[in-house]
Amino acid sequence: MTASRRERDTAFWVGALALAVVHVALVNYFVPFRAVFSHTPLTGDDYDLHIGQVYRVVEGLEGWGKSWVYDVQLLAGQPEGTILDSGSKGWELFTYLLAHVFGVDRAVAFNVFVLGVMLGAPKAIYFAGRAFELPPRTALVAAAMTSTLWFFDSHIHWLWFVGMISWAGAACLAPLTIGLFYRLLTRSQLVLAAPCAVCLGVGLLVHPYTFFAVGPSMLALYARSARALPRRGHLAVVGIAVVALAMNAYWLRNAALHWHYVLDSAFYAQGGPRFLVCDFFDVLCSGADSGVIGTRTGFRFLYLGLGVAGLFQLFRLKDERFLPLFVGVASLYFFAYVGGALPGLAQTQPYRQITPAAFLTTLPAAAFVDAFFRERRHVSHGFATTALLAVLGVALFQRLVAGDALYFLPRLIPEPARLLDGSPSPLSKYGFFWESPLPSHVHYGVPHEAYLEQGIPAVVDWLGKHVPAHERVLAEGATLGERLAWQGRYEVLGGFVERNVAHAYANYFRQYKDQSPEEAEVARYLHVFAVNWVVSDRPEFARYPEVVEHVATVGNWNVYRTLEPVNRILAGGGTVDASENLLRVRGSDPASEILLSYHFHEALRCRPSCTVERSLVDIDRVGLLRVPAPHPADLDVYNSYEMR
């Protein structure tokens, strides 16, 4: 080995070690390892939604060997694990594998998935670079770019901060999948069909929208290679698709069987052309679509500019990598900034694609940077050019660090010193006027800090002390509802109002989202859904003291108790004890039909010697359970897992 080769290898490993140290340190800063291994699941926003999904599926696999359950903890009975959790499939299987097979605590297993994605993001892009035949040092530059995007691009940071870690992870796998497919077709390395199929299958398990992230590039590659591809090459491509589908077949079948429950999904990430302007100038134009974090896109647009230069360079050289990289970057940015205006793409929440677009862009960007410095070693630009480049580089570094990186590192920045008269500065450390008594900037880490929890822990603690287990609680606020549900102490009507299944209309705050119902409507809703307690700030509950009694104010939330005695058996008498996949009715009147305040489902059956039917209700889109007379006084309604 020559001295120059040894120097390059040493430089590479020093750079790799430095990147690893910095990336791991930042992961620990934002998601402390002690929290990951604390036997408590990471909570906040979407994390609470995914805890419920993952835990219920793990229970289904452990208890019935099935990947979904009839979940009585949320929305008066709903099929969990069928379709709404399509972005949690990989998370569910990972947690089940660690918890059931290896005996890891379930909460720790849930958290380790998050940690694995956090640590693995730059590694995935490094291997994608190598698949695209970039030299190790160039692939390492792409990995370093990915690390800066991971922490300091506002949308990508927001994804894992609020719990959309699955999509962030899938976005990292997309370039690797495309790279493997490129090598398979352009170099006839058919042995790569197996890892490409697995990578695609895992990506789809982690998040199904991976299809839109990899589809354009893979289709372009196949179209270019189709004529020259030997028969075994075509078989390899077909095999990749078959294996990926087979890996996802179990949940795709469940999704197809429950498709009639699906509602509109175009409620989030509906980016349009104006988002390009907002992102470029660091303006938050829609937190619901781009993330409720101050927009910081300096690294994204820097790499986009470098990536465009890299693509132009590949085009000039007639490099075979130009096609998949150009099609991938162009199509994904098109989806992100135009897709929201197109009806079909709107259902895919197209602004999501800004994430794989940014990661994919790092590959041509890194290639351009590498080529630039290689050429610099052989060309003398003179003092003026060198000085100008140095000044521009320092200015760029200063703006990226000050404007983007330090925005996400508030704990490292001291608060402004007091004024000469001893009073606090009216400006925050970032130069903005104080607008509230909250800290000058949020620590965007997980678990979320107390002031982001909006008093939810206090409400959960109060309910645990004052409300009997298994009662029905109507809870306002997505995080509060989901957290109460996954903890399993109560049956909850609440959670994310944007759930794209018909059962979501059992949630009062979805049913009456833009309405202020009259007293009779409120009373009827509480009766039909057998609500015992209400946690809400909606004004109508305070207006109707004949319907609900104000009991306490906890963490700025009002807690009410319903005045009408309620029973989850609306007709037919008796009592019901509910658990996953099972409703036990005892002491009913055999001569009267039973109407249960639980949703009908096609897989539910009744024993002994009884049947279940759907009873339509005007304030519900699914229908409730009815057991026609005659029937035994004591009976069970159970999940047979056989759809009719």
Side-chain angles (χ1 to χ4, degrees):
M1 182 183 295
T2 64
S4 60
R5 174 68 180 275
R6 284 197 299 270
E7 289 175 0
R8 288 197 299 270
D9 288 348
T10 300
F12 170 80
W13 288 111
V14 169
L17 179 61
L19 173 59
V21 169
V22 172
H23 189 82
V24 170
L26 286 171
V27 169
N28 187 50
Y29 175 84
F30 289 109
V31 186
F33 297 154
R34 65 178 183 277
V36 171
F37 298 102
S38 66
H39 299 279
T40 301
L42 298 170
T43 59
D45 296 317
D46 285 38
Y47 281 106
D48 285 282
L49 167 68
H50 295 306
I51 295 168
Q53 294 172 339
V54 170
Y55 278 21
R56 295 294 173 261
V57 168
V58 171
E59 290 167 7
L61 290 169
E62 290 180 340
W64 295 271
K66 303 292 185 179
S67 62
W68 70 277
V69 297
Y70 180 77
D71 177 21
V72 300
Q73 306 297 334
L74 191 62
L75 298 175
Q78 53 101 25
E80 188 63 83
T82 55
I83 190 165
L84 181 66
D85 68 326
S86 59
S88 296
K89 297 301 182 183
W91 205 341
E92 292 161 357
L93 293 179
F94 180 89
T95 303
Y96 172 73
L97 181 67
L98 261 62
H100 185 74
V101 178
F102 295 101
V104 177
D105 177 82
R106 185 183 297 179
V108 173
F110 176 89
N111 294 345
V112 167
F113 179 86
V114 180
L115 180 62
V117 174
M118 295 286 291
L119 293 174
K123 297 183 182 68
I125 301 303
Y126 173 81
F127 288 115
R130 297 295 290 134
F132 271 106
E133 301 177 303
L134 297 180
R137 65 180 181 276
T138 311
L140 185 63
V141 171
M145 291 176 172
T146 298
S147 185
T148 59
L149 288 169
W150 190 263
F151 297 111
F152 306 131
D153 181 89
S154 55
H155 182 71
I156 296 172
H157 192 118
W158 178 67
L159 288 177
W160 56 258
F161 168 68
V162 298
M164 289 188 282
I165 190 75
S166 288
W167 175 242
C172 291
L173 286 175
L176 178 56
T177 305
I178 298 169
L180 291 170
F181 197 65
Y182 159 80
R183 284 281 287 275
L184 183 150
L185 293 181
T186 58
R187 299 293 179 263
S188 297
Q189 295 178 331
L190 300 184
V191 70
L192 293 178
C196 183
V198 171
C199 195
L200 178 59
V202 170
L204 292 170
L205 276 173
V206 174
H207 204 289
Y209 289 165
T210 294
F211 173 82
F212 301 101
V214 303
S217 291
M218 294 180 74
L219 286 172
L221 281 167
Y222 185 63
R224 182 178 70 181
S225 305
R227 286 189 177 181
L229 202 63
R231 182 181 179 187
R232 58 197 183 100
H234 289 286
L235 291 175
V237 173
V238 172
I240 289 171
V242 170
V243 169
L245 286 172
M247 291 173 64
N248 290 267
Y250 80 95
W251 74 264
L252 288 173
R253 179 180 182 275
N254 288 337
L257 291 173
H258 290 83
W259 196 258
H260 56 288
Y261 289 123
V262 173
L263 304 176
D264 180 25
S265 297
F267 50 77
Y268 154 74
Q270 300 300 306
R274 73 186 182 102
F275 278 67
L276 178 59
V277 178
C278 291
D279 285 352
F280 186 78
F281 290 105
D282 278 354
V283 175
L284 180 63
C285 57
S286 175
D289 294 298
S290 62
V292 190
I293 285 181
T295 304
R296 294 294 185 275
T297 59
F299 287 99
R300 186 196 308 174
F301 281 99
L302 169 63
Y303 302 153
L304 177 59
L306 294 173
V308 170
L311 288 170
F312 182 71
Q313 187 177 58
L314 293 174
F315 176 76
R316 288 178 55 196
L317 296 172
K318 297 182 179 179
D319 193 299
E320 292 176 310
R321 294 170 293 187
F322 170 76
L323 178 69
L325 291 174
F326 171 76
V327 170
V329 170
S331 62
L332 293 177
Y333 271 103
F334 175 83
F335 290 160
Y337 289 123
V338 180
L342 304 176
L345 283 179
Q347 293 298 317
T348 70
Q349 302 170 1
Y351 189 79
R352 286 176 178 266
Q353 302 300 340
I354 205 70
T355 307
F359 292 148
L360 188 61
T361 304
T362 64
L363 300 178
F368 177 77
V369 170
D370 181 62
F372 175 81
F373 282 104
R374 277 192 287 108
E375 291 176 5
R376 287 271 304 156
R377 286 199 295 268
H378 303 291
V379 179
S380 176
H381 292 282
F383 173 78
T385 302
T386 302
L388 177 61
L389 290 174
V391 170
L392 291 176
V394 170
L396 177 62
F397 177 79
Q398 186 269 341
R399 289 314 306 156
L400 288 176
V401 171
D404 289 56
L406 290 182
Y407 175 83
F408 293 99
L409 301 169
R411 292 177 175 176
L412 302 185
I413 309 172
E415 294 292 342
R418 288 181 174 270
L419 302 179
L420 293 178
D421 62 1
S423 62
S425 171
L427 299 177
S428 73
K429 65 182 76 172
Y430 295 94
F432 299 106
F433 277 102
W434 292 92
E435 297 180 354
S436 73
L438 294 178
S440 62
H441 183 61
V442 172
H443 170 61
Y444 291 119
V446 184
H448 296 175
E449 293 193 332
Y451 55 84
L452 289 174
E453 287 282 84
Q454 302 176 325
I456 291 172
V459 174
V460 174
D461 183 64
W462 189 93
L463 292 173
K465 293 177 180 177
H466 298 88
V467 175
H470 309 303
E471 296 209 342
R472 280 242 177 118
V473 178
L474 171 62
E476 185 177 6
T479 304
L480 175 59
E482 300 293 345
R483 188 168 303 175
L484 287 171
W486 71 254
Q487 289 180 353
R489 179 177 173 84
Y490 308 108
E491 295 185 17
V492 179
L493 295 161
F496 278 80
V497 296
E498 299 89 354
R499 284 174 177 266
N500 63 335
V501 289
H503 302 73
Y505 279 91
N507 183 350
Y508 177 94
F509 306 103
R510 173 74 174 262
Q511 180 80 240
Y512 300 106
K513 183 178 180 180
D514 299 314
Q515 305 174 44
S516 182
E518 298 296 327
E519 181 175 358
E521 291 180 88
V522 174
R524 184 162 183 267
Y525 171 89
L526 298 176
H527 170 79
V528 169
F529 289 104
V531 176
N532 303 101
W533 298 83
V534 178
V535 182
S536 174
D537 284 337
R538 287 275 291 253
E540 59 263 33
F541 294 108
R543 288 201 306 264
Y544 304 140
E546 305 263 328
V547 177
V548 292
E549 170 192 13
H550 184 267
V551 176
T553 299
V554 184
N556 297 320
W557 294 90
N558 292 314
V559 181
Y560 301 89
R561 180 169 44 219
T562 55
L563 295 178
E564 177 194 358
V566 294
N567 189 337
R568 278 163 283 174
I569 298 185
L570 301 174
T575 61
V576 59
D577 177 43
S579 59
E580 306 306 337
N581 283 339
L582 182 63
L583 306 174
R584 295 181 180 273
V585 176
R586 298 294 181 265
S588 66
D589 179 2
S592 301
E593 73 170 17
I594 298 174
L595 181 61
L596 294 167
S597 184
Y598 289 95
H599 279 130
F600 172 83
H601 189 274
E602 293 85 350
L604 294 178
R605 302 289 187 273
C606 188
R607 63 189 176 202
S609 303
C610 50
T611 59
V612 291
E613 297 177 356
R614 187 195 307 268
S615 180
L616 298 178
V617 182
D618 60 348
I619 60 172
D620 184 69
R621 298 198 178 191
V622 177
L624 301 181
L625 276 169
R626 184 170 70 92
V627 180
H631 54 76
D634 300 333
L635 57 90
D636 293 341
V637 176
Y638 66 98
N639 185 0
S640 69
Y641 285 104
E642 296 178 5
M643 299 285 284
R644 57 183 172 186

